[in-house]
Amino acid sequence: MCGIVGYVGNKEAVGILIEGLKRLEYRGYDSSGIGVISSDDGSIELRKTQGKIQNLLELIKGRPLKKSQLGISHTRWATHGEPNRVNAHPHSDCKKQILVVHNGIIENYQALKDKLKSRGHTFVSQTDTEVVAHLIEECDKGDFLEAVRLTIKQLKGSFALGVISRRYPGMLVAARIGSPLIIGVGKNENFIASDVPAILDRTKRVIYLQDGQIAALESGRIKIVDFQGKKIKPKVDIVSFKIGSAEKQGFDHFMLKEIHEQPKVLEQMLSTRIRGNRINLDGIRLNEKQIKKISKVIVVACGTAYHAGMVGKYIIEQLAGVPVETDLSSEFRYRHPIVDSKTLIIAISQSGETADTLAAVKEAKLKGAKVISICNVVGSSLVRESDGVLYTHAGPEIGVASTKAYTAQLCMLYLLAVKLGEIKNTLSSAIRAKVIKNLRHVPHLLTDILKAKSAVAKVARAHSHFGCFLFLGRNINYPSALEGALKLKEISYIPAEGYAAGEMKHGPIALIDEYRAVVCIVPESDIYEKMISNIQEIRSRKGRIIAIATSGDKEITRHVHEVIYIPSAYKLLTPLLAALPLQLLAYYISVKRGCDVDQPRNLAKSVTVE
């Protein structure tokens, strides 16, 4: 959560910082702020405000900042202290000489704050961040980098920091542990940011700052040390995706753009990973002997990624014959899981920085399990913690509600399930060939669904007034029901629940009346008739029914009020197809209700705190 941008160089800093913040607003938008050191007189200039970055722009327009070539900026997702101007970052020390921006949580901030108060420090905010500036003030004996390092040794928690000081007008110091931070390397200028899109229009050369590292940036120099002060030689990577990937490109919202990108994302993945009738899983870093020894798989993930993992459970057990458990990362450690060297952990995260998933992986590794991550972000913390990684390469996902990352994760799980089944000799060559052949065709089917999106929009507009929704699915599309409900409540704020259809009679049926809309995911399958029985139960209680059904299914129209069709496909792959109409339904309902689609209230894209 939270977005950080920092700059030191030979250009005007304010415009660079603001443009970077705009590209990071998906990480938090409760409040924002910018702090610079004036090139003219060395004074600190600070502007902060509640709300979105547009509010900050209006504030700066009314009170312009002095010229500067050094500054830091921040867009916040609130943890400590309500969202307001005082609690917005950057924060300063007593003498107003130091400015700090921070992503993460300082767990021992209260104890540190009490000690600082006893030594005469005064505080103005409710945040944990403010203690960092005060500690740096105390530790500064003439070496800025060392002052930050000594401060960090006193902190407990996870954090990314950007710091500037009037005493060092040409230096920007950054540090991280547990929260993402990258360095952008330019010509006579350098940057820090929470994510690559913030600086991609300025440079494609980046250094992924590692946990336990501190960097001192000047216009033509970068020095990196670890928390013990040992110098680290940085590795510069070249970012492959283009800035256009992080822009709307004519779409009304990032979410709609990313929904439309799904056919291309899956086509690229499949063309890279499938050669003839063989699946290439380079990056998995497990040999066949190790895979054959696997006796159990545990999927750990959060939110949308967890729903992808639930689909993975069905397909891995069916194709690879290995028992699979699915765990919410936030609960995994606390149930004392039985894990050993024959256990494979599949950790799924779009950002690779999800704090709970990282903690689950570390717990599993301590017990000897092997870990494969399915991740979208190169060089992320999860990737570094894993034995192997399967990159989805879906490109930057700016909309807070995940869309293309979800289907990319699903697709990778299908590929992994087939590969595991192949190596463990549980999958016949005929079934393997059938799955691969049908997977190749999925991008075309998704394109067909998008061509008919107007039909989904019509259904959405007709149902946007309903006060609550129930989503039902069975078997492999039970997770689809959970994901459909999550998408709707994330961006439209309509209470929505996802349930296994067979569980409806064990409680949820009490909620059904003419004021509740029920979305039933009922494609062609062996359990089609059971879903029809559930639909009849809903209909008899006056529930308003929307069906996601297979194209050509005329029977379904006799039982429901509205039908959204998906193309006929191999039954095992229907979650990939059902995802799009569910995403579109949520999107169009949110638009109709006038909600902020890309930046729903209280949410942020990357959850980097537990």
Side-chain angles (χ1 to χ4, degrees), residues 285 352 373 375 377-387 389 391:
R285 298 196 194 108
S373 59
C375 186
V377 179
V378 176
S380 59
S381 299
L382 179 61
V383 169
R384 294 193 299 275
E385 287 287 342
S386 303
D387 297 296
V389 56
Y391 283 117

Side-chain angles (χ1 to χ4, degrees), residues 119-391:
R119 297 197 289 266
H121 291 257
T122 58
F123 291 81
V124 298
S125 79
Q126 300 168 298
T127 69
D128 53 343
T129 306
E130 195 177 355
V131 301
V132 179
H134 289 257
L135 289 170
I136 294 172
E137 177 194 333
E138 286 197 341
C139 293
D140 188 1
K141 308 302 180 185
D143 185 330
F144 193 16
L145 181 62
E146 181 65 4
V148 176
R149 190 184 74 83
L150 292 174
T151 294
I152 285 170
K153 291 180 71 174
Q154 302 177 62
L155 306 179
K156 295 179 181 178
S158 64
F159 50 82
L161 298 172
V163 191
I164 58 176
S165 171
R166 284 190 68 182
R167 293 188 66 184
Y168 311 94
M171 183 178 290
L172 166 62
V173 175
R176 70 153 287 181
I177 184 164
S179 290
L181 200 65
I182 61 116
I183 297 170
V185 183
K187 185 176 181 181
N188 297 320
E189 60 182 356
N190 291 301
F191 314 78
I192 62 169
S194 297
D195 204 354
V196 171
I199 50 91
L200 197 55
D201 61 335
R202 303 286 173 175
T203 181
K204 287 183 173 291
R205 302 175 67 218
V206 301
I207 297 168
Y208 294 98
L209 202 63
Q210 307 294 303
D211 271 358
Q213 292 184 350
I214 313 171
L217 283 66
E218 298 174 272
S219 59
R221 179 172 175 262
I222 298 172
K223 179 183 178 182
I224 299 177
V225 300
D226 63 20
F227 284 5
Q228 286 70 49
K230 181 181 177 181
K231 192 172 182 180
I232 305 292
K233 184 178 180 180
K235 177 181 180 291
V236 179
D237 289 301
I238 307 299
V239 177
S240 59
F241 62 83
K242 299 178 181 179
I243 188 63
S245 299
E247 296 176 342
K248 291 181 184 176
Q249 298 179 329
F251 286 92
D252 290 338
H253 299 92
F254 279 109
M255 183 178 178
L256 185 60
K257 170 180 174 280
E258 289 153 8
I259 289 172
H260 278 261
E261 288 176 339
Q262 290 174 100
K264 183 179 179 181
V265 168
L266 266 58
E267 186 173 24
Q268 289 176 338
M269 180 189 293
L270 295 168
S271 64
T272 302
R273 292 293 186 174
I274 299 177
R275 291 286 183 269
N277 201 30
R278 309 293 293 183
I279 290 174
N280 164 31
L281 290 185
D282 283 349
I284 198 171
R285 298 196 194 108
L286 295 179
N287 58 42
E288 291 195 6
K289 184 177 180 181
Q290 290 172 310
I291 290 173
K292 286 180 178 178
K293 287 183 178 180
I294 294 169
S295 61
K296 178 173 67 175
V297 172
I298 302 178
V299 179
V300 292
C302 299
T304 286
Y306 175 70
H307 298 154
M310 291 180 70
V311 176
K313 171 182 172 67
Y314 285 94
I315 57 180
I316 291 172
E317 288 188 340
Q318 184 167 335
L319 298 179
V322 182
V324 180
E325 299 173 12
T326 54
D327 264 276
L328 290 164
S329 301
S330 56
E331 292 294 324
F332 177 74
R333 289 175 294 159
Y334 306 114
R335 71 174 179 88
H336 305 292
I338 299 172
V339 174
D340 58 27
S341 60
K342 294 182 180 180
T343 304
L344 174 65
I345 302 293
I346 301 175
I348 310 174
S349 169
Q350 188 281 139
S351 68
E353 304 293 346
T354 307
D356 288 313
T357 301
L358 284 166
V361 163
K362 290 174 183 177
E363 173 80 7
K365 288 183 72 176
L366 285 174
K367 296 184 175 183
K370 292 293 183 182
V371 178
I372 296 172
S373 59
I374 295 177
C375 186
N376 192 37
V377 179
V378 176
S380 59
S381 299
L382 179 61
V383 169
R384 294 193 299 275
E385 287 287 342
S386 303
D387 297 296
V389 56
L390 296 172
Y391 283 117

